[in-house]
Amino acid sequence: MTITTPDDFTQRWRQPPNFPLEIPFDYTFLPAVDILDHVRRDEKVRFTILGDDDWQVRMDRTAAFRTAPIEEIATWPFRLVHFNLGRFYDDLLSGFQEKVMIPWRTRLSAQGFTWQRLAPILFLSTGGASSTYHNDNSHGLVWQVYGAKTFHSYLDPDKHLPAEAAVIGETTGEDPPEHDTADRHSVTMQPGDQLWSHALTPHWVTTESPLAMSITLSHGGLCHQGRFSERELALRTYWDKNPGEAWMHDLRNVRY
């Protein structure tokens, strides 16, 4: 069921599995290829060249990624992430703060939510690319903007990775471990689709179109009227026992 009302959201946000939702953001992005051409040159961008080509080909493409013709870049298998989109609010993402971030923060506040961090993350990838298998310390509102991706997770994350194991990083790997496909919760997202991804749940994302772009609004420390989500309670318990590590965790620790 797609979540469309504030009351339904407050009922569902605390526990997996992930769920589709509809937030009517009034924002139009530039074409994905133009965004790719801009962000690939930024010093804060992270990208990985993929594919079955030999090591030297991947190294050559990595060296040329920022300067080669964009038409050529778009044919290479790669995945790209940028965590600091505020760098582009004055040009590439003009109006994003006013039309997306402020309305969403206002809506959450009106519903009784608080948070420690709320920031957008950009993901771009080409056909056949897959993210790593990982979990995030933050809840994510995943917004598919261009192309198609499939967001894979589990119907019952505890069966595959208890929250206590996710907290200490037992999830991360290039590929998901073997599992019964009946346990999988996979959602193919088309432009405009949105999905709520729960904190500390293992997942991976595959690209289903020649080029795909999504924005994730990452919510660190999200809390509703004093209550954290079920899985984040394990993170809070761990930080209580290891207070020094709480300052070392951030959305930029995510592998992509």
Side-chain angles (χ1 to χ4, degrees):
M1 182 180 72
T2 299
I3 298 302
T4 60
T5 70
D7 287 344
D8 286 343
F9 180 75
T10 56
Q11 291 291 323
R12 287 289 308 277
W13 81 277
R14 297 185 72 243
Q15 294 182 332
N18 299 332
F19 56 85
L21 71 166
E22 291 182 5
I23 307 299
F25 295 126
D26 181 22
Y27 188 79
T28 301
F29 291 89
L30 294 175
V33 70
D34 293 342
I35 292 178
L36 169 61
D37 194 25
H38 191 104
V39 300
R40 68 176 172 136
R41 305 172 193 274
D42 189 80
E43 62 180 10
K44 298 295 185 179
V45 73
R46 296 184 183 184
F47 63 90
T48 302
I49 301 297
L50 304 168
D52 296 327
D53 298 296
D54 64 32
W55 176 86
Q56 189 59 54
V57 170
R58 292 196 300 274
M59 292 302 99
D60 291 344
R61 288 178 171 179
T62 297
F65 189 79
R66 299 175 190 273
T67 57
I70 191 61
E71 297 80 9
E72 182 179 351
I73 296 294
T75 68
W76 297 350
F78 70 85
R79 60 191 184 215
L80 174 154
V81 61
H82 202 300
F83 292 109
N84 190 357
L85 298 189
R87 295 167 66 86
F88 309 117
Y89 282 174
D90 291 333
D91 45 45
L92 190 70
L93 295 176
S94 176
F96 189 85
Q97 173 83 331
E98 295 78 12
K99 293 185 176 182
V100 176
M101 299 308 298
I102 291 176
W104 180 238
R105 292 186 183 111
T106 301
R107 178 169 175 163
L108 285 176
S109 295
Q111 293 174 235
F113 284 93
T114 58
W115 55 88
Q116 294 174 326
R117 180 190 67 250
L118 207 173
I121 308 171
L122 171 71
F123 295 95
L124 273 157
S125 53
T126 47
S130 177
S131 74
T132 57
Y133 175 76
H134 67 283
N135 64 260
D136 303 319
N137 286 340
S138 305
H139 299 276
L141 196 172
V142 183
W143 180 9
Q144 188 64 26
V145 176
Y146 181 88
K149 292 182 181 179
T150 300
F151 199 101
H152 306 276
S153 57
Y154 300 112
L155 293 168
D156 182 4
D158 284 331
K159 179 179 177 181
H160 299 272
L161 188 80
E164 292 75 14
V167 166
I168 59 176
E170 291 187 12
T171 314
T172 301
E174 190 63 33
D175 300 304
E178 292 187 10
H179 60 277
D180 188 338
T181 56
D183 293 342
R184 190 183 297 179
H185 180 53
S186 298
V187 180
T188 297
M189 304 179 67
Q190 303 292 341
D193 290 347
Q194 298 169 342
L195 183 78
W196 187 257
S197 174
H198 291 269
L200 295 164
T201 57
H203 61 271
W204 66 105
V205 184
T206 54
T207 305
E208 314 294 349
S209 58
L211 180 65
M213 182 176 81
S214 60
I215 295 283
T216 294
L217 306 188
S218 177
H219 308 67
L222 189 65
C223 183
H224 182 251
Q225 297 180 350
R227 297 181 68 196
F228 291 104
S229 70
E230 296 296 333
R231 289 179 74 86
E232 186 158 336
L233 290 175
L235 179 63
R236 300 285 148 176
T237 298
Y238 180 81
W239 283 352
D240 286 344
K241 296 177 181 178
N242 303 273
E245 292 192 33
W247 298 100
M248 299 172 63
H249 283 261
D250 190 84
L251 57 89
R252 280 168 288 277
N253 290 331
V254 175
R255 289 185 62 198
Y256 185 70

